[in-house]
Amino acid sequence: MTKFGSAVFNRLVIIIPYAWLMFFFLIPFFIVFRISLSQTAVAMPPYLPVFDLADGLSGIFSGIREFSIDNYLWLTQDALYINAYGASLWIAGVSTLCTLLIAYPIAYGMAQAPSNLRATLLMLVILPFWTSFLIRVYAWIAILKPEGLLNQFLLGIGVIDQPLIILNTNWAIYIGIVYSYLPFMVLPIYSALEKMDHSLNEAAQDLGCTPISAFWQVTFRLSLPGVIAGCMLVFIPAVGEFVIPDLLGGSETLMIGKTLWNEFNANRDWPVSAAVATILLLILVVPIMFFQQAQAKADGEGR
Amino acid sequence: MKSLGSIRRSFAPWSDPASKPFISFRNVTKKFGDFVAVDNLSLDIFPREFFALLGASGCGKSTLLRMLAGFEQPTSGEIILDGQSLAGTPPYRRPVNMMFQSYALFPHMTVENNIAFGLKQDGMPKTEIAERVDQMLKLVKLDKFAKRKPHQLSGGQRQRVALARSLAKRPKVLLLDEPLGALDKKLREETQFELMDLQQELGLTFVVVTHDQEEAMTMADRIAVMAHGKVIQVATPPEIYEAPNSRFVADFIGDVNIFDGTVSAAGGGYVELTTDGGLSIRVASPETPSVGAKAGFAVRPEKIRVGNARPACAPLNAAEGVIWDIGYLGDMTVFHVKLKDGRVVKASSLNAVRAVEDPLGYDQEVWIWFDENAGVVLRD
Ligand SMILES: Nc1ncnc2c1ncn2[C@@H]1O[C@H](COP(=O)(O)OP(=O)(O)OP(=O)(O)O)[C@@H](O)[C@H]1O
Ligand SMILES: [Mg+2]
């Protein structure tokens, strides 16, 4: 490649991720944000104002003047939304913690396994992806329902004499989320553990750490980036999860994904659902930005 | 730097039957699957000794250290430290610290915290830790880098942090796996002497693994030469050099000329050989191989002299040849002399006076000769 060509190529390579973000995140986000500032209307599309290029600049300005934050105020007035946000964060948080507790030992075991076995284990972890997500969630209904496999088994071995009511409770949501998102937690932790130099742990023990304390001070500490990545990969989609609570959860828990769906489809209230989505995004993005800033600061220390 | 000569000269617990070894390997074997990494090895190391393990890559040096540190269990045999078997003692309870071949510095900790790590585990008071860390940083000349993370250091600096970290706890035994490999020559030589001083000062026992024979010779009280998981010879540096017990050791340490031959006479403190090339050699040696037996004769290049004139001892311990190659190294000159039988012998001579014009040149016909006590008989 010529020098000029390679310079252009380098530019292009840098542009690709930004272009991606632009087209598939920023532009859609601004559309959603703009709708969230509108009023609902019986029209197509079901909100006002609608910009018409035929009106020219003055039309756009008069449209913008009609924008209002009423939808956001509305979200604070009805406890339904705040409860839904709270329930979503809580359920996602608990599920993420449970996923971590299950995934870490799995990832650790995989990283300790003989290297010829590791590829197979990795394969097994991603194997569930080969079946449709929906089918797997439906399968959990068959397992968890009162006359389902789990209850039959527990009744059969005599641990319980009444079927457990799990389906359509929060328990079923936890189980569903943990099950569905487990690979997203296992993989980043595994990759952090796998590239770790085992002699670091030995060095810690050599300097007087018991194996357990060496694990915490060295192995776990160094796997933290993987743990954090895994937690984000589970927590963020879990907050907005719609399918799992819809299929497995009960009517008493309203998660934000379901609320959004209701506003959008049942009420046809696009502006309010857009506001719900915007707030959800802020709730997720702002803490992450703070976290990354703190991380960058910690990395820069001593430099 | 104070001279260690007087202490060193009198330090020889291994030849004193009353002294007790501090570390004993007793018939230790270590297998990885079918592969025997350490093969029925027995070895005694004495308190305050500076002991070097020397051997080619893969001969089991690191494995031996790792067994002493507790990271590998011997397949059979026993390791005894200070009178007690180490079997079943986990690494964190052994009074042994190791400097890892890969350094194994904690990447998430600063240099300071790396060095303080072991002290913190012992629950040492904070002020004492700070003092000790300071002292260690000065020792390895890294005081300016205390706040850096390992990835912000050069290879040699990392190695020094690893050294400081393993020394910080003042272990009874310090195991050093290739401690100075990544240092440049000057720093390496300095650090060698610093290590020796430190070991004397603190009264520690050092076991150091190295590839570098010069390093082993400089630092160690005794050297164990290893090959294929076995110890071939354990002796002081001069003994290893001047009286190798086998062809392997003679060849491994330093430069050597080995002549193969047959014993023609032996006894009375002398052995006479006829080499396969027809030379007659008479060696001062306490050995008494039977006449007609195969034996080798090893002689170091610096003990062979080269000259124009026929030496007085000829034809014994002397041969005629031509100068085939000359290597001028500054402090000395190495001659490769091709003998009548086609064999090339290495001889080196010290350039004690400034060589304005060397009388010995390429293709010149010369004599080589050596004294009766210049070399040793190898019986293997
Ligand atoms: N965990 C292990 N599993 C299998 N083989 C091993 C293991 N550790 C070491 N070995 C083998 O044992 C032999 C000795 O290894 P060791 O690390 O002791 O060599 P070394 O003398 O320290 O070499 P070097 O000078 O290159 O460091 C090598 O052939 C190595 O391949
Ligand atoms: Mg090694």
Side-chain angles (χ1 to χ4, degrees), chain A:
Chain A
M1 211 183 288
T2 64
K3 205 170 172 188
F4 173 75
S6 76
V8 169
F9 180 76
N10 285 343
R11 285 279 164 78
L12 278 178
V13 167
I14 298 170
I15 286 173
I16 289 170
Y18 285 107
W20 181 274
L21 267 181
M22 185 79 184
F23 284 111
F24 297 106
F25 178 76
L26 272 184
I27 293 178
F29 173 74
F30 273 111
I31 294 174
V32 169
F33 183 63
R34 171 232 180 289
I35 296 175
S36 76
L37 298 174
S38 315
Q39 277 91 48
T40 163
V42 186
M44 192 64 216
Y47 55 84
L48 278 173
V50 181
F51 297 124
D52 192 344
L53 286 180
D55 297 345
L57 268 184
S58 62
I60 291 181
F61 280 125
S62 67
I64 285 176
R65 242 171 272 127
E66 283 177 51
F67 280 162
S68 78
I69 56 164
D70 285 354
N71 295 315
Y72 292 94
L73 295 176
W74 169 246
L75 292 188
T76 61
Q77 274 151 21
D78 193 336
L80 174 105
Y81 299 104
I82 293 171
N83 288 345
Y85 280 120
S88 294
L89 290 174
W90 172 257
I91 287 175
V94 171
S95 309
T96 305
L97 194 67
C98 295
T99 314
L100 176 62
L101 291 179
I102 296 171
Y104 202 98
I106 294 176
Y108 189 79
M110 282 168 63
Q112 300 293 314
S115 47
N116 51 355
L117 251 177
R118 284 184 204 162
T120 315
L121 292 173
L122 207 57
M123 196 63 210
L124 288 176
V125 168
I126 37 187
L127 200 62
F129 289 137
W130 292 23
T131 321
S132 145
F133 169 68
L134 264 183
I135 292 178
R136 283 181 286 134
V137 177
Y138 272 112
W140 275 105
I141 298 180
I143 296 171
L144 297 177
K145 65 186 174 186
E147 65 279 19
L149 288 175
L150 180 68
N151 277 314
Q152 279 179 21
F153 174 72
L154 292 178
L155 286 168
I157 61 168
V159 180
I160 52 171
D161 44 28
Q162 285 282 313
L164 295 175
I165 304 299
I166 301 177
L167 192 64
N168 300 331
T169 66
N170 281 0
W171 289 107
I173 302 181
Y174 293 138
I175 291 173
I177 293 180
V178 169
Y179 166 77
S180 304
Y181 288 98
L182 193 68
F184 295 105
M185 187 70 94
V186 171
L187 294 179
I189 297 178
Y190 167 75
S191 97
L193 286 172
E194 198 240 11
K195 59 174 185 251
M196 200 177 305
D197 182 1
H198 184 62
S199 63
L200 292 177
N201 194 290
E202 285 182 344
Q205 292 194 41
D206 187 65
L207 293 166
C209 279
T210 60
I212 292 173
S213 127
F215 170 80
W216 285 115
Q217 294 191 58
V218 176
T219 311
F220 184 75
R221 177 60 188 62
L222 289 174
S223 69
L224 268 186
V227 169
I228 290 166
C231 285
M232 286 193 181
L233 285 178
V234 174
F235 183 79
I236 293 171
V239 171
E241 183 57 57
F242 169 70
V243 175
I244 295 171
D246 195 48
L247 293 181
L248 301 180
S251 51
E252 86 274 22
T253 316
L254 195 56
M255 283 180 75
I256 201 69
K258 177 80 175 165
T259 313
L260 213 154
W261 192 88
N262 281 340
E263 292 296 348
F264 192 81
N265 285 309
N267 295 352
R268 262 183 88 73
D269 192 340
W270 286 23
V272 166
S273 58
V276 168
T278 306
I279 295 292
L280 181 61
L281 190 78
L282 287 183
I283 289 176
L284 293 177
V285 168
V286 171
I288 290 170
M289 272 167 35
F290 273 113
F291 173 79
Q292 282 194 327
Q293 217 162 23
Q295 184 91 343
K297 218 170 132 194
D299 277 353
E301 253 172 36
R303 212 161 270 207

Side-chain angles (χ1 to χ4, degrees), chain B residues 58 61-63 101 177-178 209:
Chain B
K61 307 178 299 281
S62 293
T63 307
Q101 192 166 9
D177 202 344
E178 308 261 355
V209 162

Side-chain angles (χ1 to χ4, degrees), chain A residues 200 202 206-207 209 211 217, chain B residues 66 92 97-98 105 108 169:
Chain A
L200 292 177
E202 285 182 344
D206 187 65
L207 293 166
C209 279
Q217 294 191 58
Chain B
R66 289 172 56 77
Y92 55 92
N97 279 156
M98 174 140 156
L105 297 178
H108 56 300
K169 285 185 82 170

Side-chain angles (χ1 to χ4, degrees), chain B residues 195-262:
Chain B
L195 273 181
M196 288 156 71
D197 277 353
L198 202 80
Q199 186 250 356
Q200 281 297 327
E201 224 167 89
L202 302 177
L204 307 181
T205 306
F206 276 25
V207 183
V208 50
V209 162
T210 172
H211 270 102
D212 180 348
Q213 37 170 303
E214 248 178 65
E215 186 171 293
M217 303 276 250
T218 310
M219 297 197 292
D221 292 311
R222 281 191 307 159
I223 297 172
V225 179
M226 286 182 68
H228 307 297
K230 288 194 168 86
V231 166
I232 310 293
Q233 184 172 16
V234 186
T236 60
E239 278 167 357
I240 289 265
Y241 189 76
E242 305 292 1
N245 69 355
S246 61
R247 199 173 286 258
F248 177 82
V249 176
D251 202 24
F252 189 75
I253 308 277
D255 254 341
V256 73
N257 297 292
I258 298 180
F259 296 88
D260 290 309
T262 322

Side-chain angles (χ1 to χ4, degrees), chain B residues 142-342:
Chain B
L142 285 175
D143 5 9
K144 286 199 209 83
F145 300 90
K147 302 273 188 247
R148 293 227 192 157
K149 295 248 175 90
H151 69 94
Q152 298 160 328
L153 299 175
S154 74
Q157 289 167 338
R158 272 179 230 169
Q159 195 163 43
R160 274 139 71 199
V161 178
L163 179 63
R165 186 180 69 178
S166 59
L167 267 173
K169 285 185 82 170
R170 306 269 160 84
K172 283 193 199 166
V173 180
L174 185 63
L175 310 176
L176 303 122
D177 202 344
E178 308 261 355
L180 310 177
L183 304 188
D184 58 57
K185 192 169 176 337
K186 192 156 175 290
L187 191 60
R188 178 157 69 215
E189 280 168 8
E190 268 176 46
T191 318
Q192 282 170 5
F193 285 105
E194 272 161 17
L195 273 181
M196 288 156 71
D197 277 353
L198 202 80
Q199 186 250 356
Q200 281 297 327
E201 224 167 89
L202 302 177
L204 307 181
T205 306
F206 276 25
V207 183
V208 50
V209 162
T210 172
H211 270 102
D212 180 348
Q213 37 170 303
E214 248 178 65
E215 186 171 293
M217 303 276 250
T218 310
M219 297 197 292
D221 292 311
R222 281 191 307 159
I223 297 172
V225 179
M226 286 182 68
H228 307 297
K230 288 194 168 86
V231 166
I232 310 293
Q233 184 172 16
V234 186
T236 60
E239 278 167 357
I240 289 265
Y241 189 76
E242 305 292 1
N245 69 355
S246 61
R247 199 173 286 258
F248 177 82
V249 176
D251 202 24
F252 189 75
I253 308 277
D255 254 341
V256 73
N257 297 292
I258 298 180
F259 296 88
D260 290 309
T262 322
V263 177
S264 52
Y270 287 95
V271 175
E272 287 183 21
L273 298 164
T274 308
T275 69
D276 298 345
L279 293 182
S280 304
I281 293 174
R282 185 177 150 91
V283 200
S285 167
E287 308 225 19
T288 50
S290 50
V291 173
K294 288 267 166 211
F297 171 70
V299 59
R300 305 277 179 199
E302 74 277 8
K303 299 194 173 64
I304 298 184
R305 273 173 285 171
V306 187
N308 292 322
R310 179 190 165 91
C313 60
L316 211 59
N317 294 352
E320 266 183 292
V322 292
I323 292 189
W324 195 247
D325 244 330
I326 303 177
Y328 176 72
L329 303 182
D331 53 347
M332 60 179 194
T333 303
V334 179
F335 297 101
H336 288 192
V337 179
K338 192 167 192 176
L339 302 188
K340 287 265 155 67
D341 61 355

